[in-house]
Amino acid sequence: MPVDRIHWTDLPAAARTAVEAHTGPVLSAVTAQGGVNSGIAATLRTAATTLFVKGVPADHPQVRTQQREAAINPYLPDACPRLLWHVNAGGWDLIGYQQLAGRHADYAPGSPDLPLVARAVAELQTTRWPDIELKRAEQRWGSYAPASDVSVLAGDTLLHTDLAPHNVLITNRAHIVDWAWPTRGAAWIDPAVLILRLMEAGHSAQDADTWARTQFASWAAAPATAVMVFSQANATTWEEIARADPQAWKKTMAQHAHDWVNYWSSRTS
């Protein structure tokens, strides 16, 4: 459910005071333009530092995903920005992050960002699931696949599962941000998620598949039948998302998901 975006100065005084207890007085704040899941998303400048704050009203359903994001942060690879603090005050749930002065990744064919993105995802592929209670892939996609098949999604890798280009910041390397949907599952699921985003950026299904095979050992070794189970479940997921909120980009992603299923079916037949 989208959250209406406000500015730093629109926050209740109690919320701003709680943040400034960690940061010191905020001298300036610049509201981020992108994203729909945070009621506030802003770069704050203090006398000592610059940081990024985001948050949602404490009674909004989206607060659960933000709390998951805060819980997972200590276990993330070094490339991911570090959580500085998490406060709940003035009716708002707010988290502060290390500021990265980067730009969103470019996934277009031939982009120099692609090797950096591959390196960041490959680093994540070696990150085992931390000892905290979050969803498993079998639960996440279980209602979209036959019950007898969902076990093929199981694994012990920490997955991001939303590798859209706006969730990857580029500096001298790629940084994976916005951990609202961390999931425990088979390592090849994140490459499968990334492939759809490559298709969105203009890659063909075959080219995206070929590229992923050269970058991720998990994808090169993924069982074809397991990939089909996930691909069909993911296509059904995107179809449901597009029906519930028929924005053009969601309908496009649903179409790419179905195109991928058709490609994979022809490849493995």
Side-chain angles (χ1 to χ4, degrees):
M1 180 185 299
V3 189
D4 291 336
R5 179 67 53 84
I6 66 171
H7 301 293
W8 164 253
T9 52
D10 298 326
L11 280 173
R16 285 183 278 121
T17 297
V19 168
E20 289 181 326
H22 293 274
T23 67
V26 171
L27 304 179
S28 66
V30 178
T31 299
Q33 298 302 308
V36 297
N37 293 325
S38 296
I40 183 166
T43 298
L44 307 184
R45 186 174 64 85
T46 71
T49 190
T50 301
L51 66 151
F52 182 73
V53 62
K54 62 190 238 179
V56 292
D59 60 354
H60 193 280
Q62 199 69 31
V63 75
R64 293 191 299 274
T65 62
Q66 180 161 284
Q67 290 169 348
R68 281 198 298 267
E69 189 173 348
I72 200 70
N73 186 266
Y75 305 95
L76 298 181
D78 290 342
C80 300
R82 305 333 298 173
L83 180 72
L84 303 175
W85 41 261
H86 181 195
V87 299
N88 193 307
W92 279 76
D93 190 88
L94 300 161
I95 51 180
Y97 278 106
Q98 167 194 15
Q99 169 69 5
L100 294 176
R103 56 174 174 79
H104 293 148
D106 177 6
Y107 284 3
S111 168
D113 292 352
L114 291 176
L116 304 180
V117 173
R119 197 172 306 139
V121 175
E123 179 186 37
L124 181 58
Q125 296 267 282
T126 64
T127 303
R128 291 186 64 80
W129 184 254
D131 188 21
I132 56 177
E133 191 60 41
L134 294 173
K135 270 197 174 179
R136 296 173 179 262
E138 311 94 286
Q139 299 169 311
R140 177 86 178 272
W141 288 280
S143 60
Y144 302 102
S148 59
D149 293 341
V150 295
S151 63
V152 300
L153 307 181
D156 290 323
T157 298
L158 176 61
L159 305 172
H160 182 276
T161 74
D162 188 16
L163 293 167
H166 60 262
N167 287 338
V168 181
L169 294 180
I170 302 295
T171 57
N172 61 332
R173 63 164 300 168
H175 307 265
I176 301 173
V177 302
D178 286 343
W179 282 82
W181 299 103
T183 302
R184 177 180 183 175
W188 53 263
I189 290 176
D190 262 350
V193 168
L194 179 58
I195 279 172
L196 289 192
R197 293 299 184 170
L198 294 176
M199 292 171 66
E200 180 188 29
H203 298 252
S204 69
Q206 182 175 354
D207 287 348
D209 178 27
T210 300
W211 180 84
R213 285 178 183 284
T214 66
Q215 302 298 324
F216 309 116
S218 65
W219 183 249
T225 53
V227 171
M228 180 57 82
V229 169
F230 174 78
S231 299
Q232 290 175 327
N234 200 34
T236 302
T237 303
W238 274 111
E239 192 176 82
E240 182 180 278
I241 290 169
R243 277 199 309 268
D245 184 14
Q247 296 183 56
W249 74 269
K250 293 181 179 180
K251 292 190 286 186
T252 296
M253 288 301 297
Q255 184 60 57
H256 287 317
H258 283 288
D259 290 345
W260 168 258
V261 168
N262 291 337
Y263 161 77
W264 192 256
S265 180
S266 67
R267 182 186 181 282
T268 57
S269 59

